[in-house]
Amino acid sequence: MSTTSVEILLQTLPNGPGVYQFYDKDGKILYVGKAKNLKKRVSSYFYKKHEYGKTRVLVKKVADIKHIVVPTETDALLLENNLIKKYQPRYNVLLKDDKSYPWICIKKERFPRIFSTRRVIKDGSEYFGPYTSMKTIRTLLELIKGLYPLRTCNYDLSEAKITAGKYKVCLEYHLGNCKGPCEGLQSEGEYEAQVRAIREIIKGNFKDSLQSFRARMKAFADDMQFEEAQKIKEKIEILENYQAKSTIVNPKISNVDVFSVVSDESYGYVNFLQLSYGAIIRAHTIEMKKKLQETDEELLELAITEIRQRFHSQSREVYVPFPVKVPADIKVTVPKLGDKRRLVELSERNARFYRQERFKQVKITDPDRHVNRIMTQMKQDLRLKQEPRHIECFDNSNIQGTNPVAACVVFKDGKPSKKDYRHFNIKTVEGPDDFASMEEVVFRRYKRLLEEGQSLPQLTVIDGGKGQLSSALKSLEVLGLRGKIAIVGIAKRLEEIYYPGDSVPLYLDKKSETLKILQHLRNEAHRFGITFHRNKRSNAAIGSELTNIEGVGQKTAEELLKEFRSVKRVKEAGLEEISGVIGEAKARKVYDYFH
């Protein structure tokens, strides 16, 4: 049983289609279900009030939840059916017997009938499926009927009874839908040849039938029987267009184990799919803690041995994403195309989903591990000497050179530390000069940290390209901090990361957590700087007329605006009203100015 609580599992389920399994505290499977959206469906069991007592009892017993992600709802439907047939969970009633979905049956008898059924009887007959809709089966049976004339009667066509003349041909014979084996008009060998061809068509192998029909079409055409040739051509087109393929059920792939792995610095996640007679009957993902920075190949080799022993797998073939060393009696296949490749991709997809869910769970249950992993990742991605536990980002804000300001935001352990944010009014630069402004604020920031003996960041991020980065670097050199603080610039357009002295930028994977943190830093610095800049500009614009009055400063102007809401109302106010806010002496100056 998983140690992760059901509550946390619910928070981290994916939103895509799949199959979920409920287990009790003893690890026994209680229920298997399918969902278009796993998160919504599974959560509904625990957050809704249930009308039925059985559902309430089930929910109380659930101690663990497992799930398998699949590409489509159809795949979820088929996989759910397979798992219920295999495990027969106590709380699954509808699909316990084999009436749930239709099958195609080739009956075990002389001159076999071929028909659809919802009951699988173990009498030696062959069953193909299950299919997700009767429409598919009807299409396939109509196709077969049009291609090969077969009997539909349920007579016992034993050799003795046919020889004795017990049966007479029916209407189907006269319509051309049957060749009359009941009167001995069709040999058993000819009929069996038809059944063999039909068996291949049901499996999805149309090659032999296509070759046969093409030969017949050519013969009809050569004989100038163009109507008959056209009928055969239509059959060929139907055969070519009909494809019943699924990553969940494929008769060509039988008794195979599929493995894949995704990993990060500390952990590997190995997914296992077990196929039996073309259907997935088991899916399992394990988390492996790396001890000595093992490669993906090493992790997969260890996992294959462990998982096969755990589940007593007897499969003699494994599908994997890359070559691995396994016992000599197991065939290793690295698929490149088709259904086999799609199975490996499905396995990889499940491994990735599991990894993402574990990240979310760990973030809730073990935040330190989550932070350590991200810091290790950032150190590696940005080629730093130490983990960037303390990062600072600088951004300039000015519009046409008015009220130039800058912002410094601080992240600690990958999260904003808002109490450490700082604003800067640009003091030494005239006009809109981003480079000089950046040089000034970086110098002022780190000069102060040095003077006060505060800790320096492991990484400084400059919002801008090479120019801003060079300006910031000048200040670090003056302060003797070059080489002590790692510094990079992030350009807005293509998210290029620049390093001092390196003309070629670094491009991080758009989905990487390192880039997301850098983007968060940059966006936070931009937001913080713009807010300060707007406030300064609006205060300057609103307070300009009041601060023009002799003896009225910024603070007095703010008090008046706070009380009267606008300069116009200050003009209209009486002397006594203004005195009540700023005192009689200043009120007289304001009143005289407007009157």
Side-chain angles (χ1 to χ4, degrees):
M1 190 190 80
S2 171
T3 53
T4 311
S5 72
V6 169
E7 187 68 29
I8 293 168
L9 284 167
L10 292 175
Q11 291 177 46
T12 57
L13 282 167
N15 286 306
V19 172
Y20 56 91
Q21 297 149 280
F22 290 159
Y23 291 80
D24 65 15
K25 64 181 189 320
D26 300 318
K28 189 176 179 182
I29 193 164
L30 295 169
Y31 184 80
V32 174
K34 67 179 184 306
K36 183 178 178 180
N37 183 313
L38 280 168
K39 192 181 185 85
K40 284 184 181 176
R41 181 73 188 97
V42 176
S43 298
S44 70
Y45 283 91
F46 297 89
Y47 299 139
K48 282 185 180 177
K49 189 174 180 181
H50 295 289
E51 186 180 334
Y52 299 106
K54 188 191 93 166
T55 310
R56 289 198 296 271
V57 172
L58 167 65
V59 170
K60 282 180 185 175
K61 287 185 177 180
V62 175
D64 194 16
I65 303 166
K66 290 182 182 176
H67 63 273
I68 305 168
V69 180
V70 293
T72 66
E73 286 180 73
T74 302
D75 288 334
L77 196 71
L78 291 167
L79 179 53
E80 177 197 35
N81 192 44
N82 295 331
L83 293 172
I84 291 169
K85 299 294 184 300
K86 180 170 176 61
Y87 298 114
Q88 299 205 339
R90 183 180 171 187
Y91 285 88
N92 282 99
V93 176
L94 290 176
L95 301 178
K96 255 190 179 175
D97 60 16
D98 290 287
K99 295 177 183 176
S100 24
Y101 300 112
W103 303 71
I104 290 178
C105 174
I106 299 179
K107 193 71 176 169
K108 189 187 181 187
E109 61 191 357
R110 199 160 180 261
F111 299 99
R113 287 168 292 153
I114 299 175
F115 54 89
S116 67
T117 181
R118 291 179 184 270
R119 293 182 64 205
V120 175
I121 303 167
K122 294 178 181 177
D123 60 355
S125 300
E126 291 179 79
Y127 292 88
F128 297 87
Y131 290 87
T132 52
S133 73
M134 273 304 296
K135 186 180 178 183
T136 306
I137 284 191
R138 276 195 291 269
T139 305
L140 198 49
L141 290 176
E142 281 170 18
L143 168 72
I144 290 165
K145 188 179 177 183
L147 298 174
Y148 300 104
L150 297 168
R151 73 161 177 137
T152 53
C153 61
N154 59 0
Y155 297 147
D156 172 14
L157 298 186
S158 66
E159 194 172 353
K161 288 183 179 179
I162 292 172
T163 307
K166 189 170 175 65
Y167 309 113
K168 293 290 181 186
V169 292
C170 62
L171 183 62
E172 289 291 298
Y173 171 78
H174 297 293
L175 291 172
N177 295 332
C178 174
K179 288 190 174 181
C182 58
E183 282 194 29
L185 300 174
Q186 184 181 23
S187 71
E188 190 175 357
E190 184 191 342
Y191 196 99
E192 280 298 334
Q194 289 185 171
V195 172
R196 280 196 297 273
I198 290 166
R199 191 180 285 115
E200 291 304 308
I201 288 172
I202 294 171
K203 288 179 180 178
N205 179 13
F206 303 148
K207 185 180 174 184
D208 296 341
S209 292
L210 283 167
Q211 285 176 348
S212 168
F213 285 127
R214 285 190 184 112
R216 284 173 61 189
M217 181 177 71
K218 189 174 184 302
F220 280 128
D222 292 344
D223 201 27
M224 309 291 279
Q225 296 184 48
F226 297 119
E227 284 188 14
E228 294 299 322
Q230 177 60 27
K231 287 177 185 175
I232 300 291
K233 187 185 175 187
E234 287 170 3
K235 291 176 182 180
I236 290 170
E237 286 173 354
I238 293 168
L239 267 175
E240 286 176 333
N241 292 331
Y242 183 85
Q243 286 183 325
K245 288 191 174 183
S246 167
T247 52
I248 301 304
V249 175
N250 184 333
K252 295 181 187 177
I253 301 171
S254 183
N255 302 332
V256 171
D257 293 343
V258 184
F259 292 92
S260 66
V261 61
V262 295
S263 66
D264 51 43
E265 276 56 54
S266 307
Y267 289 84
Y269 303 86
V270 176
N271 176 263
F272 161 59
L273 301 177
Q274 186 178 9
L275 279 85
S276 177
Y277 300 104
I280 293 175
I281 59 165
R282 181 179 281 114
H284 187 68
T285 307
I286 60 170
E287 182 183 67
M288 304 175 76
K289 183 169 174 59
K290 291 184 181 179
K291 302 287 185 184
L292 300 166
Q293 289 302 303
E294 291 88 351
T295 63
D296 282 357
E297 286 84 354
E298 289 170 329
L299 288 173
L300 199 53
E301 286 164 9
L302 287 166
I304 288 173
T305 307
E306 160 67 24
I307 291 172
R308 282 174 62 87
Q309 284 179 349
R310 187 186 301 182
F311 293 108
H312 309 289
S313 172
Q314 301 299 315
S315 302
R316 287 283 161 259
E317 186 176 9
V318 295
Y319 295 168
V320 285
F322 43 75
V324 290
K325 294 172 186 171
V326 295
D329 60 338
I330 300 171
K331 181 185 175 186
V332 175
T333 301
V334 182
K336 301 295 182 189
L337 298 166
D339 285 350
K340 294 180 182 180
R341 178 64 206 158
R342 280 193 284 275
L343 276 167
V344 174
E345 287 169 354
L346 177 62
S347 176
E348 287 171 341
R349 191 175 175 194
N350 273 280
R352 282 195 299 273
F353 269 107
Y354 186 86
R355 179 172 175 255
Q356 289 169 7
E357 288 152 30
R358 287 295 294 141
F359 285 172
K360 292 174 188 173
Q361 292 163 11
V362 165
K363 199 171 179 179
I364 299 166
T365 59
D366 189 358
D368 288 343
R369 176 180 149 187
H370 174 72
V371 168
N372 293 342
R373 182 183 58 76
I374 288 178
M375 290 298 110
T376 306
Q377 189 73 47
M378 288 190 76
K379 180 185 173 185
Q380 181 182 321
D381 289 347
L382 298 172
R383 298 174 292 194
L384 305 174
K385 291 177 183 174
Q386 52 187 327
E387 292 180 356
R389 295 278 174 171
H390 176 176
I391 311 173
E392 298 192 350
C393 181
F394 292 88
D395 181 38
N396 291 324
S397 294
N398 70 69
I399 294 177
Q400 297 173 340
T402 65
N403 309 106
V405 297
C408 169
V409 301
V410 179
F411 273 36
K412 290 185 175 173
D413 289 334
K415 292 180 182 176
S417 177
K418 296 197 175 183
K419 65 183 175 62
D420 296 312
Y421 286 15
R422 294 293 181 269
H423 284 133
F424 295 89
N425 289 306
I426 305 301
K427 295 177 179 177
T428 62
V429 181
E430 291 294 328
D433 186 341
D434 270 1
F435 300 156
S437 298
M438 186 62 73
E439 192 176 339
E440 179 191 323
V441 295
V442 171
F443 180 83
R444 284 167 55 191
R445 169 66 174 166
Y446 294 127
K447 184 171 182 285
R448 180 160 189 167
L449 290 186
L450 287 170
E451 286 172 352
E452 294 177 359
Q454 294 186 45
S455 61
L456 295 169
Q458 287 87 34
L459 174 65
T460 295
V461 178
I462 304 300
D463 182 15
K466 295 179 197 172
Q468 282 94 336
L469 182 60
S470 299
S471 302
L473 203 60
K474 286 179 190 173
S475 296
L476 292 186
E477 282 177 339
V478 171
L479 293 166
L481 294 175
R482 174 103 190 241
K484 292 182 181 177
I485 300 176
I487 184 166
V488 298
I490 179 167
K492 286 187 178 79
R493 196 169 66 88
L494 296 170
E495 308 295 20
E496 300 159 323
I497 295 167
Y498 287 95
Y499 289 81
D502 192 345
S503 60
V504 181
L506 170 71
Y507 293 95
L508 290 173
D509 182 342
K510 293 287 183 281
K511 294 179 180 176
S512 81
E513 288 176 288
T514 299
L515 182 60
K516 284 177 182 171
I517 287 176
L518 292 180
Q519 287 170 330
H520 189 185
L521 261 164
R522 195 261 317 279
N523 295 341
E524 190 69 355
H526 190 64
R527 177 198 66 76
F528 191 57
I530 284 288
T531 305
F532 179 51
H533 183 255
R534 282 178 183 153
N535 290 342
K536 190 176 176 188
R537 228 172 54 232
S538 63
N539 286 342
I542 292 169
S544 58
E545 190 173 5
L546 292 174
T547 52
N548 285 339
I549 303 169
E550 190 181 339
V552 175
Q554 186 71 34
K555 193 172 180 181
T556 306
E558 284 175 7
E559 285 177 3
L560 286 168
L561 289 171
K562 191 176 177 182
E563 177 67 26
F564 294 103
R565 302 290 179 185
S566 70
V567 176
K568 184 184 175 187
R569 288 186 178 176
V570 175
K571 284 181 189 178
E572 294 169 352
L575 181 61
E576 284 184 17
E577 287 179 277
I578 300 171
S579 300
V581 178
I582 57 172
E584 197 173 328
K586 285 184 183 177
R588 171 58 65 186
K589 290 178 181 178
V590 172
Y591 187 80
D592 288 348
Y593 177 82
F594 288 121
H595 297 84

